[in-house]
Amino acid sequence: MNLEPAVKYSHTLLSPIIAQGDTVVDATVGNGNDTLFLASRVGATGHVLGFDVQQPALDRTATQLTLTGMTRQVRLIHDGHEHLDQYLEPQQQITAAIFNLGYLPGSNKQIITHGETTISALKTCLAHLRRGGIVALVVYYGHPGGEQEKETVLQTVKQLDQQQYSVLQYGFINQIHQPPFLLAIQKR
Amino acid sequence: MNLEPAVKYSHTLLSPIIAQGDTVVDATVGNGNDTLFLASRVGATGHVLGFDVQQPALDRTATQLTLTGMTRQVRLIHDGHEHLDQYLEPQQQITAAIFNLGYLPGSNKQIITHGETTISALKTCLAHLRRGGIVALVVYYGHPGGEQEKETVLQTVKQLDQQQYSVLQYGFINQIHQPPFLLAIQKR
């Protein structure tokens, strides 16, 4: 059994905490892998809110959802995740959220997530997170602008009150090509 | 399901890779928790080599092993773990090793592990590690001398060839009281 890459470990952490019928957020739909994972966890009675600023990413994911019979529980939203609060009721609780920070592989490398909007979306997620819920951020940082966003995010999450949140960092530290690492924030 | 503390996660990683009959190393017996865990995994046909420089720690652990019926598979060695190579055959393979870096809780805080001897023992473990095997280091560093050892160990493991080893760092980064973090090194 091999040590899990950060992307895989994010699913390992989220799987046991997400129940059928839950509401969850995919803050960066991208290639749709996380959207499909979340949709399968919440089931037909659950809700996945999936954000992306690139319409082609949403279109491709919509196709995958149709092919897997999971369109019902997913709302794909062509908007920046910093507007998440406009799509949630004030008292609505979420069980989980996933962010993939960086650019969409195979797409325009100029279109990247940014520290400021990422933090804004993260704070909304934390405000709606139920106890025991987890926000997972998979941090890619090898691209131009990546290092800056990484530092912004790290500084923010390191300052989260340990009485309210546990912030785990998981990553491989002997790799030449800066693989992504995982930040998992659990509400206590 | 809560995010696991580093100590617990070390067992989570090692459990599935250790089989009955395997040979493993507890480089720092201390309170014996890891020794008992390893002894239960390798079973009566396996071998645990347990090192500690403090005889009282070994005595207490011997008692626990007697009470749990696991004396047969454990050899408790009153010696520094930097001499591990004297206790292994040249071609002998090990499946796992655990280090707890720091001092023994409830004991003399002056008796701590040191970077130089830790690295020596670590290198011996890596030389004998079978493919897929894992060396787990739980790094306490809040005590005098701890920061120095932490840096020595981190610098060493970051330089391990990624073709031969995966080096995972797992730890909580928003805690005031410097909880231990885990380094898990898997041979590829």
Side-chain angles (χ1 to χ4, degrees):
Chain A
M1 188 171 148
N2 290 332
L3 296 174
E4 293 183 330
V7 171
K8 186 156 182 239
Y9 191 60
S10 70
H11 291 196
T12 298
L13 285 180
L14 292 185
S15 279
I17 68 157
I18 301 175
Q20 302 277 309
D22 281 357
T23 297
V24 299
V25 172
D26 186 349
T28 48
V29 167
N31 56 28
N33 284 349
D34 292 329
T35 318
L36 268 75
F37 161 72
L38 293 170
S40 73
R41 297 305 304 172
V42 301
T45 59
H47 302 281
V48 180
L49 297 180
F51 290 82
D52 211 290
V53 293
Q54 301 189 66
Q55 186 64 45
L58 296 175
D59 293 343
R60 285 195 297 272
T61 300
T63 302
Q64 291 181 286
L65 288 167
T66 302
L67 291 172
T68 51
M70 298 195 292
T71 52
R72 181 174 168 176
Q73 62 263 46
V74 180
R75 182 177 175 192
L76 293 173
I77 300 166
H78 186 206
D79 197 353
H81 47 216
E82 66 274 22
H83 301 130
L84 170 62
D85 58 349
Q86 299 171 16
Y87 300 87
L88 288 171
E89 298 296 323
Q91 302 303 322
Q92 196 168 354
Q93 289 203 310
I94 64 173
T95 309
I98 304 184
F99 291 72
N100 269 275
L101 305 186
Y103 62 89
L104 175 57
S107 180
N108 184 347
K109 289 190 186 185
Q110 306 298 317
I111 303 175
I112 60 174
T113 55
H114 294 277
E116 195 177 326
T117 42
T118 296
I119 298 302
S120 172
L122 172 59
K123 286 186 174 168
T124 302
C125 287
L126 293 179
H128 288 268
L129 197 62
R130 73 154 172 76
R131 289 185 66 174
I134 294 177
V135 177
L137 301 107
V138 179
V139 185
Y140 294 80
Y141 60 96
H143 58 285
E147 191 71 33
Q148 195 178 347
E149 181 180 30
K150 180 187 90 166
E151 288 306 321
T152 302
V153 170
L154 275 174
Q155 286 314 311
T156 301
V157 302
K158 281 181 180 174
Q159 287 164 24
L160 289 173
D161 180 358
Q162 67 179 38
Q163 302 298 329
Q164 291 189 64
Y165 301 100
S166 298
V167 181
L168 172 69
Q169 183 170 1
Y170 174 106
F172 293 88
I173 60 173
N174 71 324
Q175 310 285 309
I176 295 172
H177 293 298
Q178 300 176 301
F181 63 87
L182 172 68
L183 294 169
I185 306 167
Q186 185 168 44
K187 194 161 197 163
R188 304 181 58 160
Chain B
M1 188 171 150
N2 292 331
L3 296 173
E4 294 184 330
V7 171
K8 186 155 181 242
Y9 191 60
S10 70
H11 291 195
T12 298
L13 286 180
L14 293 184
S15 280
I17 68 157
I18 302 174
Q20 302 277 310
D22 281 357
T23 297
V24 299
V25 172
D26 186 349
T28 49
V29 167
N31 57 29
N33 285 349
D34 292 329
T35 318
L36 268 74
F37 160 72
L38 293 170
S40 73
R41 297 305 306 174
V42 302
T45 58
H47 301 281
V48 180
L49 297 181
F51 289 81
D52 212 289
V53 292
Q54 302 189 67
Q55 187 64 46
L58 297 175
D59 292 344
R60 286 196 297 271
T61 300
T63 301
Q64 290 181 285
L65 289 167
T66 301
L67 292 172
T68 51
M70 299 195 292
T71 52
R72 180 174 169 176
Q73 62 261 49
V74 180
R75 181 177 176 193
L76 294 172
I77 300 166
H78 186 205
D79 197 352
H81 47 216
E82 66 273 21
H83 301 130
L84 170 61
D85 59 348
Q86 298 173 16
Y87 300 88
L88 289 171
E89 299 296 324
Q91 302 303 322
Q92 195 168 353
Q93 289 202 310
I94 64 173
T95 309
I98 304 184
F99 291 72
N100 270 275
L101 305 186
Y103 61 89
L104 175 57
S107 180
N108 184 347
K109 290 190 185 185
Q110 306 298 315
I111 303 175
I112 59 175
T113 54
H114 294 278
E116 196 177 325
T117 42
T118 296
I119 299 302
S120 172
L122 171 60
K123 286 187 173 168
T124 302
C125 286
L126 293 179
H128 288 268
L129 197 62
R130 73 154 171 77
R131 288 186 67 174
I134 294 177
V135 177
L137 300 106
V138 178
V139 185
Y140 294 79
Y141 59 97
H143 58 284
E147 191 71 34
Q148 196 178 347
E149 181 180 31
K150 180 187 90 165
E151 289 305 322
T152 302
V153 171
L154 275 175
Q155 287 314 311
T156 301
V157 301
K158 280 180 180 174
Q159 287 165 24
L160 289 173
D161 180 358
Q162 68 178 38
Q163 303 297 332
Q164 292 188 63
Y165 301 99
S166 298
V167 181
L168 172 69
Q169 183 169 1
Y170 174 106
F172 293 88
I173 60 174
N174 70 325
Q175 310 284 309
I176 296 171
H177 293 298
Q178 300 176 302
F181 63 87
L182 172 67
L183 294 169
I185 306 166
Q186 186 167 43
K187 194 161 197 163
R188 304 181 60 160

